[in-house]
Amino acid sequence: MIKKILFPILILGFVSCQNDDTSSYTEVVDLSERLYAGGETTLFSVTSNAYRTPAPNLTSTDLEMHLLGDVDFESVFVTAPSTINQGLGPIFNSSSCISCHPRDGRAAFPDMLNNRSGLLLRSSIAGMDEHGGPNPVPGFGGQIQNQAIFGYMPEASYNVAFTEVIETFDDGTVVALRKPEFSLFDTYIPVPAGTMLSARIGSPVFGLGLLEAIPEADIVAMQDIADANGDGISGKANYVWDKFMQQTVLGRFGWKANTGTIRTQCATAYVEDMGITNVVHNTETGEGQSNGSDGFGDDPELSSDILDQVVLYCQTLAVPAPRGIDNVQVKQGAAIFERIGCASCHTPRQKTGYSPISAISFQTFYPYTDMLVHDMGEGLADNRPDYMADGREWKTRPLWGIGLTELVNGHTNFLHDGRARNLTEAILWHGGEAENTQKAFKKLKKSDREALLAFLGSL
């Protein structure tokens, strides 16, 4: 475990070398107020540890528990019986939390699709389960596990084929996008006809406690399902079944906002990704399958204490501050971000209400998300419904910290399946409700596109 930086490091040098730039722009936003991107949980650090540092305002009790959760988050599980971290499998995708969320950040699109990585495939068939969620595939469930412990068969191996999609800017610049199509082979039993697959890439885990503490009423108030204001944006909240709370709740996490709480997100990842049963999911993910039970009768395999520690860890990671907010090009980019409509969904400012964790109570912060799902067009459609989100709808991803992806994670792969190889490609994949914004982006002259990317890079 890397030793944590317990106190924020004030980074000097926010004054840009481009301050003598005389380019004109309309300053429509005050970026100085966004310096504290995570409110009092903000971290001033431009290092590879920018995503994985405790919030600086934690109480000593919460910090102690956070550090225990840090160890748990990096723990590698092994097959039973073992004295520590036992319970991996029998079928699984990865063996630790950190393997899907490297350095608490974003996983890259894997070079070897069937090695352990941060990419997995969700699965379902037509219809809904008893709570209105995706209908699991008989014999495979809601996620395809492509790994297995010794003596067992994985459910399947993954395959991907890419189709090239050409986009052209008004100035003639051509960009070749890649559209992935996933399939299965070497399945342990035949795959039922009509099985729908959708890829997921592990996403950053910092700032989640702040997102969880946004009052539900504030998120619901941002809906415009019927597009009453006529701006072409009609985001809606997703409501989902929470297995731990045994009730329907507002969806906040996951690429389609299909999970309501960090506790359920963590517990589901333990059982679906690693095959680790817990107090929320006390049966193996492959229960009833010929390759799905280890026969040890040791469930739940994860203690409630460890789950509590990991949940608090994910709730209390610091949010990295933006950089270069006095830079003229960054300010230009911020103005363009507003002008072409990016901020209509990537809502800059949010506030938390009360939280039992004092560090995240009543904070004003800047995640750049409205927490709603939007129609993102045919190009991004997975045609797989997830509760109230249909096959074209995805949750607005937070943009905070996105400019540090390459520094922290060594790549610039974005979107739910990692198809975009940089931010330009990610923007060009926007369609549906974001199509007008995508078209406006394509009309920008090169210097304005660079300014917009500079602003995103500053977050």
Side-chain angles (χ1 to χ4, degrees):
M1 180 185 70
I2 292 180
K3 184 178 181 180
K4 296 296 186 184
I5 303 170
L6 299 182
F7 300 100
I9 301 171
L10 181 61
I11 298 300
L12 302 177
F14 280 151
V15 178
S16 166
C17 61
Q18 298 189 40
N19 276 348
D20 57 351
D21 189 328
T22 58
S23 301
S24 62
Y25 66 95
T26 302
E27 187 169 351
V28 297
V29 294
D30 180 4
L31 293 182
S32 63
E33 72 173 17
R34 304 181 186 180
L35 180 59
Y36 284 82
E40 294 174 21
T41 75
T42 302
L43 173 76
F44 292 88
S45 172
V46 189
T47 73
S48 59
N49 288 324
Y51 297 165
R52 55 185 328 207
T53 301
N57 60 337
L58 292 179
T59 64
S60 58
T61 301
D62 285 341
L63 177 59
E64 181 179 0
M65 190 166 177
H66 176 103
L67 296 176
L68 291 172
D70 185 0
V71 175
D72 301 328
F73 199 81
E74 298 188 14
S75 296
V76 177
F77 284 83
V78 298
T79 56
S82 174
T83 54
I84 60 169
N85 300 337
Q86 70 166 5
L88 181 68
I91 53 177
F92 61 100
N93 295 108
S94 288
S95 55
S96 68
C97 303
I98 202 73
S99 60
C100 290
H101 307 279
R103 307 188 75 80
D104 295 340
R106 183 176 282 101
F109 191 93
D111 294 328
M112 304 294 291
L113 203 57
N114 287 298
N115 287 352
R116 299 179 190 181
S117 74
L119 183 143
L120 55 81
L121 296 182
R122 293 281 167 76
S123 58
S124 58
I125 58 174
M128 296 182 290
D129 69 7
E130 66 271 30
H131 301 297
N135 200 14
V137 181
F140 291 87
Q143 182 169 312
I144 304 297
Q145 283 81 24
N146 64 344
Q147 310 290 328
I149 63 175
F150 180 76
Y152 290 80
M153 282 190 67
E155 289 184 322
S157 294
Y158 297 167
N159 186 47
V160 64
F162 291 101
T163 301
E164 189 174 77
V165 177
I166 299 297
E167 291 282 355
T168 306
F169 288 93
D170 280 13
D171 66 5
T173 302
V174 175
V175 178
L177 307 178
R178 59 173 186 173
K179 183 174 184 177
E181 183 174 352
F182 295 90
S183 58
L184 305 177
F185 66 100
D186 285 344
T187 59
Y188 85 106
I189 58 174
V191 180
T195 294
M196 296 175 282
L197 301 174
S198 185
R200 298 287 186 274
I201 281 279
S203 53
V205 295
F206 63 83
L208 299 185
L210 294 169
L211 299 178
E212 189 174 44
I214 301 172
E216 179 175 343
D218 290 359
I219 296 173
V220 172
M222 289 184 279
Q223 293 186 110
D224 187 15
I225 297 174
D227 192 21
N229 62 8
D231 67 352
I233 307 298
S234 53
K236 71 180 183 188
N238 196 3
Y239 278 89
V240 304
W241 178 253
D242 188 279
K243 186 174 174 61
F244 177 73
M245 299 174 70
Q246 290 291 295
Q247 65 184 62
T248 298
V249 300
L250 173 69
R252 296 173 184 265
F253 304 107
W255 288 94
K256 284 180 178 277
N258 70 341
T259 305
T261 65
I262 297 171
R263 177 171 300 279
T264 296
Q265 181 80 24
C266 293
T268 303
Y270 268 114
V271 74
E272 290 285 348
D273 299 356
M274 294 181 274
I276 308 296
T277 56
N278 51 73
V279 293
V280 180
H281 299 278
N282 55 15
T283 58
E284 299 284 359
T285 185
E287 181 76 10
Q289 299 178 195
S290 61
N291 63 344
S293 176
D294 60 13
F296 282 111
D298 58 351
D299 304 314
E301 296 158 328
L302 190 79
S303 73
S304 295
D305 287 345
I306 290 179
L307 181 59
D308 289 345
Q309 291 160 9
V310 170
V311 170
L312 185 127
Y313 176 74
C314 293
Q315 290 171 321
T316 56
L317 283 162
V319 174
R323 287 87 44 213
I325 60 174
D326 293 327
N327 182 292
V328 170
Q329 188 184 39
V330 169
K331 289 184 175 182
Q332 285 179 317
I336 294 168
F337 185 83
E338 299 276 340
R339 191 179 77 229
I340 68 173
C342 306
S344 296
C345 301
H346 291 285
T347 308
R349 184 170 66 178
Q350 298 288 353
K351 293 182 178 180
T352 62
Y354 167 78
S355 169
I357 302 171
S358 61
I360 57 181
S361 275
F362 304 113
Q363 298 293 315
T364 297
F365 61 105
Y366 297 87
Y368 294 87
T369 174
D370 59 8
M371 301 290 283
L372 302 175
V373 296
H374 295 269
D375 178 352
M376 294 301 292
E378 187 60 32
L380 283 177
D382 66 353
N383 300 311
R384 177 179 177 271
D386 203 335
Y387 292 97
M388 295 172 65
D390 67 27
R392 292 166 56 102
E393 291 177 321
W394 300 93
K395 195 192 90 171
T396 307
R397 302 304 302 175
L399 298 180
W400 53 9
I402 199 167
L404 292 169
T405 302
E406 186 164 16
L407 174 64
V408 175
N409 294 127
H411 68 85
T412 54
N413 298 159
F414 301 107
L415 299 178
H416 65 281
D417 51 15
R419 69 176 68 182
R421 290 162 290 196
N422 51 55
L423 288 172
T424 295
E425 291 190 12
I427 297 169
L428 289 173
W429 275 112
H430 283 52
E433 295 174 38
E435 185 173 351
N436 288 336
T437 295
Q438 188 254 27
K439 287 180 178 178
F441 177 61
K442 290 168 66 175
K443 290 180 180 177
L444 295 175
K445 59 184 179 182
K446 183 180 179 182
S447 59
D448 284 347
R449 296 200 303 270
E450 290 173 345
L452 178 62
L453 295 175
F455 168 65
L456 295 174
S458 76
L459 298 179

